[in-house]
């Protein structure tokens, strides 16, 4: 087994740099998800409007 006799080698240095990097660069937050309920309600509204129009056309034709 060889020994590293380099006096400038700091075994904890890379860990400290990594921890500082993680502390200064936090993970980006996820973008908030858009709620699905308004889209569902809009779809139901469109289908209801189409059904009413079709019913009126059938009733008066």
């Amino acid at each position: 087994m060889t020994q590293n006799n380099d006096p400038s080698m700091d075994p904890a240095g890379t860990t400290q740099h990594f921890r500082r990097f993680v502390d200064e660069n936090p993970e980006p937050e996820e973008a908030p998800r858009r709620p699905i309920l308004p889209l569902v309600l809009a779809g139901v509204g469109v289908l209801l409007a189409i059904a009413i129009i079709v019913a009126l056309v059938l009733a008066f034709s």
Side-chain angles (χ1 to χ4, degrees):
M1 182 182 236
T2 61
Q3 291 183 342
N4 189 355
N5 293 330
D6 186 5
S8 65
M9 178 65 180
D10 180 14
T14 55
T15 303
Q16 291 171 354
H17 290 300
F18 176 72
R19 287 184 182 164
R20 187 177 310 127
F21 172 78
V22 170
D23 290 341
E24 292 175 358
N25 299 307
E27 291 183 23
E29 296 181 14
E30 277 189 34
R33 297 173 70 180
R34 294 178 58 187
I36 190 93
L37 184 60
L39 297 174
V40 171
L41 291 177
V44 169
V46 167
L47 291 175
L48 187 60
I50 292 172
I52 290 171
I53 292 170
V54 168
L56 289 173
V57 168
L58 292 175
F60 292 110
S61 62

